[in-house]
Amino acid sequence: MSYIVGFGEIMLRLSSIDNERLFQSLKLNATFGGVEANICVLASIFGLNSRYITMLPNNAIGHKVEELLLSHKVDTSAIAWGGKRLGIYFVDKGNNYRTSNIIYDREHSSISEASIKDFDWDKVFDNSSYFHVSGVTPALTQSAADLTLYAVKEAKKRNIKVSCDINHRKKLWKYGKKIEEVMPEIVKYSDIVFANEYDAIKILGVDSDVDVDSDIRDEDYKMIMNKLIEKYSLETVITTRRETINSNHNNISALLYNNKNLYKSKKYNITNIVDRIGTGDSFAAGILSGLNMFKDYQYVLEFATAAFCIKHTIPGDWNLTTKEEVISLMESSEKLDVKR
């Protein structure tokens, strides 16, 4: 089966244990994670071939990252080796009415200083169907933004579908560019975009008077996404919906807009969240994997939303759940009459 290729930064994640505050005790949980790596791991667990592209420091930490990716059968053959360090992020985990907080330490990380010549682009795109990027890597440095833009252009030259998650992380955009100055050019070369109405209007420049800070009607969402698709010649636009009651209790669902049709998922009421980090990546992995495995857009959306839901029960960035578990959840409460 064809490859899903993810390009971006993977980091060392250091998080507080159980419900402790960060550094409340002398112990922290150490794992690895990053948007595109999270997607590649879950796609591989679902049974698809996936390839992860990044630059890693040529030291024990970098090699441990590769070892763990390989343990989940993610292809690491096109990873570049170099640079000084792996980025780190610290997670002060929330609980109940205390929110989580993330502290980044990723300046001068290997991928943030990588260049086009560091990668074998023929190897990167070999036998690929989907190439996935997000707004996280372009937020790091100008060189990382340039590298991401070059990569999506190369993918389009090779007739590979590009998937882009806007994934706006305000804490990261510090090198002088704003997200709305960078992401529109990357989206020009995309086919599938993960974006909500705020992203469409405030970042990607869709003309609309809709108040994105309030609840919007389905018709308003369709109008905005239709304009977004026309503006950038996109195929599909997708977004998640989250109602936050507190750190442990969220209601989630999702929307997919394609060919002027709006698909809505069922809603999940999650009352005992273990870890929210990586949940959106699980959703994206579910969409990209579902498009390879299933024929019906509604079924693809339900599959992705169920994967999105399950990740809330698993600590760490990676969603270690199977295709069978996801299908069991999505079909347990509602039988869908669709083709698989």
Side-chain angles (χ1 to χ4, degrees):
M1 191 174 289
S2 300
Y3 277 92
I4 292 174
V5 179
F7 171 80
E9 181 174 33
I10 190 167
M11 293 167 289
L12 172 64
R13 166 180 163 163
L14 299 174
S15 57
S16 52
I17 296 174
D18 297 326
N19 295 320
E20 290 183 354
R21 301 305 303 265
L22 195 63
F23 297 114
Q24 183 176 332
S25 69
L26 299 179
K27 295 181 179 179
L28 295 175
N29 285 320
T31 55
F32 295 100
V35 172
E36 298 82 8
N38 300 345
I39 289 170
C40 287
V41 168
L42 185 53
S44 182
I45 293 172
F46 285 155
L48 279 72
N49 291 323
S50 70
R51 179 182 296 129
Y52 181 57
I53 313 299
T54 191
M55 175 176 271
L56 295 175
N58 193 8
N59 58 28
I61 299 173
H63 290 290
K64 176 56 71 171
V65 171
E66 183 182 34
E67 176 188 323
L68 292 174
L69 289 168
L70 287 170
S71 74
H72 291 292
K73 300 180 180 179
V74 175
D75 181 354
T76 62
S77 62
I79 284 177
W81 294 90
K84 298 176 181 178
R85 63 179 295 244
L86 194 74
I88 303 171
Y89 78 103
F90 299 85
V91 182
D92 187 4
K93 292 177 66 177
N95 185 47
N96 208 331
Y97 288 96
R98 172 165 56 85
T99 60
S100 295
N101 184 42
I102 292 177
I103 302 167
Y104 292 110
D105 175 19
R106 55 205 300 184
E107 290 186 16
H108 305 294
S109 64
S110 293
I111 191 65
S112 70
E113 298 183 346
S115 66
I116 293 166
K117 62 181 175 57
D118 290 318
F119 297 89
D120 182 339
W121 295 101
D122 289 333
K123 187 179 288 187
V124 166
F125 293 114
D126 182 45
N127 193 34
S128 302
S129 293
Y130 288 96
F131 182 69
H132 185 79
V133 297
S134 77
V136 174
T137 301
L140 301 178
T141 59
Q142 185 63 60
S143 62
D146 293 342
L147 184 57
T148 305
L149 179 59
Y150 178 87
V152 297
K153 287 181 176 180
E154 279 295 302
K156 293 305 291 182
K157 284 180 185 178
R158 300 163 191 254
N159 295 316
I160 297 165
K161 287 186 180 295
V162 174
S163 167
C164 178
D165 189 340
I166 300 302
N167 218 328
H168 186 197
R169 307 278 177 84
K170 293 180 181 180
K171 290 183 178 181
L172 292 181
W173 290 88
K174 295 180 178 179
Y175 64 89
K177 289 288 186 68
K178 297 179 181 179
I179 188 171
E180 57 267 29
E181 297 178 272
V182 175
M183 291 309 294
E185 188 66 18
I186 293 171
V187 170
K188 280 183 184 179
Y189 298 93
S190 301
D191 300 278
I192 299 170
V193 171
F194 294 85
N196 59 27
E197 55 276 7
Y198 177 93
D199 300 329
I201 295 172
K202 300 295 185 179
I203 296 173
L204 299 177
V206 169
D207 183 23
S208 174
D209 294 328
V210 173
D211 181 4
V212 295
D213 294 319
S214 63
D215 292 336
I216 68 169
R217 300 173 302 167
D218 288 349
E219 288 306 310
D220 289 329
Y221 178 82
K222 289 173 64 175
M223 178 269 294
I224 293 168
M225 293 306 139
N226 195 58
K227 286 185 176 182
L228 181 62
I229 285 173
E230 291 180 351
K231 182 179 177 74
Y232 292 96
S233 300
L234 304 174
E235 178 183 299
T236 304
V237 180
I238 313 159
T239 190
T240 57
R241 291 283 193 240
R242 184 186 298 275
E243 179 188 359
T244 302
I245 311 303
N246 59 46
S247 291
N248 304 103
H249 183 187
N250 290 183
N251 298 321
I252 64 164
S253 59
L255 302 171
L256 184 153
Y257 188 68
N258 170 275
N259 197 27
K260 298 189 182 299
N261 293 311
L262 179 64
Y263 300 88
K264 301 174 66 175
S265 79
K266 67 170 290 185
K267 181 182 287 188
Y268 291 90
N269 178 32
I270 309 172
T271 58
N272 188 23
I273 293 173
V274 172
D275 197 336
R276 257 187 61 168
I277 296 174
T279 56
D281 308 331
S282 293
F283 176 75
I287 291 291
L288 296 179
S289 301
L291 290 171
N292 273 271
M293 296 186 294
F294 312 120
K295 296 181 179 180
D296 182 272
Y297 279 113
Q298 184 68 46
Y299 198 91
V300 169
L301 183 64
E302 297 292 354
F303 179 82
T305 309
F308 176 37
C309 176
I310 290 175
K311 174 59 189 73
H312 289 77
T313 71
I314 299 172
D317 273 53
W318 294 351
N319 189 353
L320 307 178
T321 190
T322 66
K323 172 184 173 182
E324 291 72 24
E325 288 174 318
V326 173
I327 290 175
S328 177
L329 172 62
M330 63 182 281
E331 294 187 341
S332 62
S333 59
E334 182 179 2
K335 299 296 183 181
L336 299 174
D337 183 18
V338 297
K339 296 178 181 179
R340 284 192 256 166

